[in-house]
PDB file of all heavy atoms in Angstrom:
ATOM      1  N   GLU A  66     -55.090-288.398  19.156  1.00 70.00           N
ATOM      2  CA  GLU A  66     -55.520-287.981  20.482  1.00 70.00           C
ATOM      3  C   GLU A  66     -56.131-289.112  21.293  1.00 70.00           C
ATOM      4  O   GLU A  66     -56.241-289.015  22.517  1.00 70.00           O
ATOM      5  CB  GLU A  66     -56.522-286.825  20.373  1.00 70.00           C
ATOM      6  CG  GLU A  66     -57.839-287.161  19.703  1.00 70.00           C
ATOM      7  CD  GLU A  66     -57.775-287.015  18.194  1.00 70.00           C
ATOM      8  OE1 GLU A  66     -56.662-286.974  17.639  1.00 70.00           O
ATOM      9  OE2 GLU A  66     -58.845-286.942  17.568  1.00 70.00           O
ATOM     10  N   ASN A  67     -56.513-290.204  20.638  1.00 79.00           N
ATOM     11  CA  ASN A  67     -57.049-291.378  21.318  1.00 79.00           C
ATOM     12  C   ASN A  67     -56.032-292.506  21.446  1.00 79.00           C
ATOM     13  O   ASN A  67     -56.384-293.640  21.775  1.00 79.00           O
ATOM     14  CB  ASN A  67     -58.298-291.891  20.591  1.00 79.00           C
ATOM     15  CG  ASN A  67     -59.414-290.869  20.575  1.00 79.00           C
ATOM     16  OD1 ASN A  67     -59.711-290.282  21.601  1.00 79.00           O
ATOM     17  ND2 ASN A  67     -60.000-290.631  19.419  1.00 79.00           N
ATOM     18  N   GLN A 303     -54.249-278.392  18.867  1.00 82.00           N
ATOM     19  CA  GLN A 303     -54.880-277.880  17.664  1.00 82.00           C
ATOM     20  C   GLN A 303     -54.361-276.500  17.301  1.00 82.00           C
ATOM     21  O   GLN A 303     -54.590-276.025  16.192  1.00 82.00           O
ATOM     22  CB  GLN A 303     -56.405-277.837  17.826  1.00 82.00           C
ATOM     23  CG  GLN A 303     -57.066-279.197  17.643  1.00 82.00           C
ATOM     24  CD  GLN A 303     -58.573-279.090  17.436  1.00 82.00           C
ATOM     25  OE1 GLN A 303     -59.318-279.127  18.388  1.00 82.00           O
ATOM     26  NE2 GLN A 303     -58.986-278.945  16.198  1.00 82.00           N
ATOM     27  N   PRO A 330     -51.007-284.128  14.953  1.00 79.00           N
ATOM     28  CA  PRO A 330     -52.039-284.637  14.034  1.00 79.00           C
ATOM     29  C   PRO A 330     -53.322-283.823  14.053  1.00 79.00           C
ATOM     30  O   PRO A 330     -54.019-283.747  13.049  1.00 79.00           O
ATOM     31  CB  PRO A 330     -52.293-286.059  14.547  1.00 79.00           C
ATOM     32  CG  PRO A 330     -51.052-286.433  15.300  1.00 79.00           C
ATOM     33  CD  PRO A 330     -50.550-285.164  15.901  1.00 79.00           C
ATOM     34  N   LYS A 331     -53.658-283.184  15.183  1.00 78.00           N
ATOM     35  CA  LYS A 331     -54.913-282.449  15.295  1.00 78.00           C
ATOM     36  C   LYS A 331     -54.790-280.979  14.925  1.00 78.00           C
ATOM     37  O   LYS A 331     -55.765-280.228  15.047  1.00 78.00           O
ATOM     38  CB  LYS A 331     -55.443-282.551  16.729  1.00 78.00           C
ATOM     39  CG  LYS A 331     -55.821-283.955  17.157  1.00 78.00           C
ATOM     40  CD  LYS A 331     -56.521-283.943  18.509  1.00 78.00           C
ATOM     41  CE  LYS A 331     -55.615-283.467  19.623  1.00 78.00           C
ATOM     42  NZ  LYS A 331     -56.269-283.533  20.958  1.00 78.00           N
ATOM     43  N   ILE A 332     -53.649-280.532  14.465  1.00 82.00           N
ATOM     44  CA  ILE A 332     -53.422-279.112  14.236  1.00 82.00           C
ATOM     45  C   ILE A 332     -54.441-278.546  13.247  1.00 82.00           C
ATOM     46  O   ILE A 332     -54.851-279.204  12.284  1.00 82.00           O
ATOM     47  CB  ILE A 332     -51.973-278.885  13.726  1.00 82.00           C
ATOM     48  CG1 ILE A 332     -51.644-277.395  13.726  1.00 82.00           C
ATOM     49  CG2 ILE A 332     -51.777-279.505  12.353  1.00 82.00           C
ATOM     50  CD1 ILE A 332     -50.193-277.109  13.431  1.00 82.00           C
ATOM     51  N   ASN A 333     -54.864-277.299  13.503  1.00 81.00           N
ATOM     52  CA  ASN A 333     -55.845-276.639  12.638  1.00 81.00           C
ATOM     53  C   ASN A 333     -55.137-275.972  11.463  1.00 81.00           C
ATOM     54  O   ASN A 333     -55.139-274.753  11.306  1.00 81.00           O
ATOM     55  CB  ASN A 333     -56.643-275.612  13.446  1.00 81.00           C
ATOM     56  CG  ASN A 333     -57.885-275.152  12.710  1.00 81.00           C
ATOM     57  OD1 ASN A 333     -58.024-275.359  11.509  1.00 81.00           O
ATOM     58  ND2 ASN A 333     -58.795-274.545  13.439  1.00 81.00           N
ATOM     59  N   ASN A 335     -54.961-276.761   7.244  1.00 82.00           N
ATOM     60  CA  ASN A 335     -55.580-277.587   6.213  1.00 82.00           C
ATOM     61  C   ASN A 335     -54.548-278.295   5.334  1.00 82.00           C
ATOM     62  O   ASN A 335     -53.469-277.758   5.062  1.00 82.00           O
ATOM     63  CB  ASN A 335     -56.477-276.728   5.319  1.00 82.00           C
ATOM     64  CG  ASN A 335     -57.678-276.198   6.055  1.00 82.00           C
ATOM     65  OD1 ASN A 335     -58.144-276.799   7.025  1.00 82.00           O
ATOM     66  ND2 ASN A 335     -58.194-275.058   5.621  1.00 82.00           N
ATOM     67  N   GLY A 756     -59.121-270.081  14.540  1.00 85.00           N
ATOM     68  CA  GLY A 756     -59.583-271.254  15.285  1.00 85.00           C
ATOM     69  C   GLY A 756     -59.163-271.283  16.734  1.00 85.00           C
ATOM     70  O   GLY A 756     -59.426-272.264  17.432  1.00 85.00           O
ATOM     71  N   PHE A 759     -62.445-271.758  18.834  1.00 87.00           N
ATOM     72  CA  PHE A 759     -63.123-273.012  18.509  1.00 87.00           C
ATOM     73  C   PHE A 759     -62.280-274.230  18.888  1.00 87.00           C
ATOM     74  O   PHE A 759     -62.827-275.291  19.195  1.00 87.00           O
ATOM     75  CB  PHE A 759     -63.453-273.067  17.023  1.00 87.00           C
ATOM     76  CG  PHE A 759     -64.579-272.152  16.609  1.00 87.00           C
ATOM     77  CD1 PHE A 759     -64.709-271.725  15.298  1.00 87.00           C
ATOM     78  CD2 PHE A 759     -65.508-271.711  17.536  1.00 87.00           C
ATOM     79  CE1 PHE A 759     -65.740-270.890  14.915  1.00 87.00           C
ATOM     80  CE2 PHE A 759     -66.546-270.865  17.166  1.00 87.00           C
ATOM     81  CZ  PHE A 759     -66.663-270.457  15.850  1.00 87.00           C
ATOM     82  N   ASN A 760     -60.947-274.089  18.869  1.00 85.00           N
ATOM     83  CA  ASN A 760     -60.070-275.206  19.220  1.00 85.00           C
ATOM     84  C   ASN A 760     -60.244-275.649  20.672  1.00 85.00           C
ATOM     85  O   ASN A 760     -59.777-276.724  21.053  1.00 85.00           O
ATOM     86  CB  ASN A 760     -58.600-274.822  19.000  1.00 85.00           C
ATOM     87  CG  ASN A 760     -58.257-274.688  17.530  1.00 85.00           C
ATOM     88  OD1 ASN A 760     -59.020-275.117  16.666  1.00 85.00           O
ATOM     89  ND2 ASN A 760     -57.113-274.097  17.242  1.00 85.00           N
ATOM     90  N   ARG A 761     -60.905-274.833  21.472  1.00 85.00           N
ATOM     91  CA  ARG A 761     -61.056-275.128  22.894  1.00 85.00           C
ATOM     92  C   ARG A 761     -62.485-275.544  23.263  1.00 85.00           C
ATOM     93  O   ARG A 761     -62.795-275.671  24.442  1.00 85.00           O
ATOM     94  CB  ARG A 761     -60.631-273.898  23.707  1.00 85.00           C
ATOM     95  CG  ARG A 761     -59.116-273.749  23.727  1.00 85.00           C
ATOM     96  CD  ARG A 761     -58.646-272.319  23.891  1.00 85.00           C
ATOM     97  NE  ARG A 761     -57.189-272.297  23.965  1.00 85.00           N
ATOM     98  CZ  ARG A 761     -56.394-272.392  22.898  1.00 85.00           C
ATOM     99  NH1 ARG A 761     -56.903-272.518  21.685  1.00 85.00           N
ATOM    100  NH2 ARG A 761     -55.082-272.387  23.045  1.00 85.00           N
ATOM    101  N   ILE A 762     -63.319-275.730  22.274  1.00 89.00           N
ATOM    102  CA  ILE A 762     -64.701-276.129  22.513  1.00 89.00           C
ATOM    103  C   ILE A 762     -64.883-277.590  22.100  1.00 89.00           C
ATOM    104  O   ILE A 762     -64.645-277.930  20.933  1.00 89.00           O
ATOM    105  CB  ILE A 762     -65.676-275.239  21.723  1.00 89.00           C
ATOM    106  CG1 ILE A 762     -65.482-273.766  22.104  1.00 89.00           C
ATOM    107  CG2 ILE A 762     -67.121-275.668  21.977  1.00 89.00           C
ATOM    108  CD1 ILE A 762     -66.338-272.811  21.306  1.00 89.00           C
ATOM    109  N   PRO A 763     -65.244-278.460  23.031  1.00 87.00           N
ATOM    110  CA  PRO A 763     -65.420-279.881  22.692  1.00 87.00           C
ATOM    111  C   PRO A 763     -66.374-280.053  21.509  1.00 87.00           C
ATOM    112  O   PRO A 763     -67.320-279.300  21.324  1.00 87.00           O
ATOM    113  CB  PRO A 763     -65.997-280.486  23.984  1.00 87.00           C
ATOM    114  CG  PRO A 763     -65.542-279.554  25.067  1.00 87.00           C
ATOM    115  CD  PRO A 763     -65.528-278.195  24.461  1.00 87.00           C
ATOM    116  N   ILE A 764     -66.128-281.064  20.734  1.00 86.00           N
ATOM    117  CA  ILE A 764     -66.895-281.438  19.537  1.00 86.00           C
ATOM    118  C   ILE A 764     -66.677-280.408  18.424  1.00 86.00           C
ATOM    119  O   ILE A 764     -66.301-280.764  17.305  1.00 86.00           O
ATOM    120  CB  ILE A 764     -68.409-281.610  19.834  1.00 86.00           C
ATOM    121  CG1 ILE A 764     -68.601-282.706  20.900  1.00 86.00           C
ATOM    122  CG2 ILE A 764     -69.166-281.965  18.548  1.00 86.00           C
ATOM    123  CD1 ILE A 764     -70.060-282.911  21.293  1.00 86.00           C
ATOM    124  N   ILE A 765     -66.913-279.115  18.717  1.00 87.00           N
ATOM    125  CA  ILE A 765     -66.722-278.080  17.698  1.00 87.00           C
ATOM    126  C   ILE A 765     -65.290-278.104  17.167  1.00 87.00           C
ATOM    127  O   ILE A 765     -65.051-277.917  15.976  1.00 87.00           O
ATOM    128  CB  ILE A 765     -67.044-276.686  18.274  1.00 87.00           C
ATOM    129  CG1 ILE A 765     -68.526-276.592  18.641  1.00 87.00           C
ATOM    130  CG2 ILE A 765     -66.672-275.579  17.291  1.00 87.00           C
ATOM    131  CD1 ILE A 765     -69.454-276.661  17.454  1.00 87.00           C
ATOM    132  N   LYS A 766     -64.334-278.372  18.053  1.00 84.00           N
ATOM    133  CA  LYS A 766     -62.935-278.337  17.632  1.00 84.00           C
ATOM    134  C   LYS A 766     -62.609-279.402  16.594  1.00 84.00           C
ATOM    135  O   LYS A 766     -61.651-279.270  15.832  1.00 84.00           O
ATOM    136  CB  LYS A 766     -62.010-278.481  18.839  1.00 84.00           C
ATOM    137  CG  LYS A 766     -62.079-279.839  19.536  1.00 84.00           C
ATOM    138  CD  LYS A 766     -61.140-279.883  20.739  1.00 84.00           C
ATOM    139  CE  LYS A 766     -61.148-281.232  21.431  1.00 84.00           C
ATOM    140  NZ  LYS A 766     -60.244-281.252  22.601  1.00 84.00           N
ATOM    141  N   LEU A 767     -63.418-280.463  16.538  1.00 84.00           N
ATOM    142  CA  LEU A 767     -63.182-281.514  15.554  1.00 84.00           C
ATOM    143  C   LEU A 767     -63.434-281.032  14.132  1.00 84.00           C
ATOM    144  O   LEU A 767     -62.905-281.595  13.177  1.00 84.00           O
ATOM    145  CB  LEU A 767     -64.066-282.730  15.856  1.00 84.00           C
ATOM    146  CG  LEU A 767     -63.887-283.367  17.236  1.00 84.00           C
ATOM    147  CD1 LEU A 767     -64.877-284.507  17.415  1.00 84.00           C
ATOM    148  CD2 LEU A 767     -62.451-283.849  17.430  1.00 84.00           C
ATOM    149  N   LEU A 768     -64.246-279.980  13.988  1.00 86.00           N
ATOM    150  CA  LEU A 768     -64.578-279.464  12.660  1.00 86.00           C
ATOM    151  C   LEU A 768     -63.498-278.529  12.116  1.00 86.00           C
ATOM    152  O   LEU A 768     -63.538-278.164  10.941  1.00 86.00           O
ATOM    153  CB  LEU A 768     -65.915-278.717  12.727  1.00 86.00           C
ATOM    154  CG  LEU A 768     -67.124-279.539  13.193  1.00 86.00           C
ATOM    155  CD1 LEU A 768     -68.347-278.647  13.303  1.00 86.00           C
ATOM    156  CD2 LEU A 768     -67.372-280.704  12.245  1.00 86.00           C
ATOM    157  N   LYS A 769     -62.580-278.103  12.970  1.00 86.00           N
ATOM    158  CA  LYS A 769     -61.482-277.223  12.579  1.00 86.00           C
ATOM    159  C   LYS A 769     -61.991-275.939  11.936  1.00 86.00           C
ATOM    160  O   LYS A 769     -61.456-275.453  10.936  1.00 86.00           O
ATOM    161  CB  LYS A 769     -60.491-277.939  11.660  1.00 86.00           C
ATOM    162  CG  LYS A 769     -59.778-279.095  12.336  1.00 86.00           C
ATOM    163  CD  LYS A 769     -58.663-279.666  11.487  1.00 86.00           C
ATOM    164  CE  LYS A 769     -57.903-280.753  12.249  1.00 86.00           C
ATOM    165  NZ  LYS A 769     -56.796-281.323  11.464  1.00 86.00           N
ATOM    166  N   LEU A 770     -63.049-275.387  12.513  1.00 91.00           N
ATOM    167  CA  LEU A 770     -63.579-274.111  12.041  1.00 91.00           C
ATOM    168  C   LEU A 770     -62.720-272.963  12.561  1.00 91.00           C
ATOM    169  O   LEU A 770     -61.988-273.110  13.540  1.00 91.00           O
ATOM    170  CB  LEU A 770     -65.022-273.940  12.507  1.00 91.00           C
ATOM    171  CG  LEU A 770     -66.003-275.034  12.084  1.00 91.00           C
ATOM    172  CD1 LEU A 770     -67.368-274.785  12.699  1.00 91.00           C
ATOM    173  CD2 LEU A 770     -66.100-275.116  10.564  1.00 91.00           C
ATOM    174  N   ASN A 819     -63.330-271.687   6.912  1.00 88.00           N
ATOM    175  CA  ASN A 819     -62.777-273.039   6.881  1.00 88.00           C
ATOM    176  C   ASN A 819     -63.860-274.111   7.005  1.00 88.00           C
ATOM    177  O   ASN A 819     -63.602-275.229   7.464  1.00 88.00           O
ATOM    178  CB  ASN A 819     -61.725-273.246   7.974  1.00 88.00           C
ATOM    179  CG  ASN A 819     -60.685-274.286   7.581  1.00 88.00           C
ATOM    180  OD1 ASN A 819     -60.237-274.302   6.445  1.00 88.00           O
ATOM    181  ND2 ASN A 819     -60.324-275.166   8.485  1.00 88.00           N
ATOM    182  N   PHE A 821     -65.718-276.987   5.668  1.00 86.00           N
ATOM    183  CA  PHE A 821     -65.279-277.973   4.675  1.00 86.00           C
ATOM    184  C   PHE A 821     -63.928-277.583   4.068  1.00 86.00           C
ATOM    185  O   PHE A 821     -63.605-277.935   2.954  1.00 86.00           O
ATOM    186  CB  PHE A 821     -66.311-278.151   3.558  1.00 86.00           C
ATOM    187  CG  PHE A 821     -67.687-278.474   4.045  1.00 86.00           C
ATOM    188  CD1 PHE A 821     -68.746-277.616   3.798  1.00 86.00           C
ATOM    189  CD2 PHE A 821     -67.922-279.621   4.785  1.00 86.00           C
ATOM    190  CE1 PHE A 821     -70.018-277.900   4.260  1.00 86.00           C
ATOM    191  CE2 PHE A 821     -69.204-279.923   5.250  1.00 86.00           C
ATOM    192  CZ  PHE A 821     -70.243-279.063   4.991  1.00 86.00           C
ATOM    193  N   GLN A 822     -63.163-276.786   4.798  1.00 81.00           N
ATOM    194  CA  GLN A 822     -61.810-276.359   4.444  1.00 81.00           C
ATOM    195  C   GLN A 822     -61.761-275.376   3.285  1.00 81.00           C
ATOM    196  O   GLN A 822     -60.678-275.086   2.779  1.00 81.00           O
ATOM    197  CB  GLN A 822     -60.912-277.568   4.128  1.00 81.00           C
ATOM    198  CG  GLN A 822     -60.712-278.504   5.300  1.00 81.00           C
ATOM    199  CD  GLN A 822     -59.747-279.632   5.016  1.00 81.00           C
ATOM    200  OE1 GLN A 822     -59.414-279.905   3.862  1.00 81.00           O
ATOM    201  NE2 GLN A 822     -59.287-280.303   6.043  1.00 81.00           N
TER     202      GLN A 822
END
Side-chain angles (χ1 to χ4, degrees):
E66 65 273 17
N67 298 313
Q303 281 195 269
K331 295 188 295 184
I332 190 172
N333 194 344
N335 293 333
F759 287 157
N760 290 346
R761 285 152 177 79
I762 302 176
I764 301 178
I765 295 294
K766 66 181 182 181
L767 302 177
L768 300 176
K769 296 188 176 181
L770 303 176
N819 208 42
F821 306 118
Q822 297 184 345

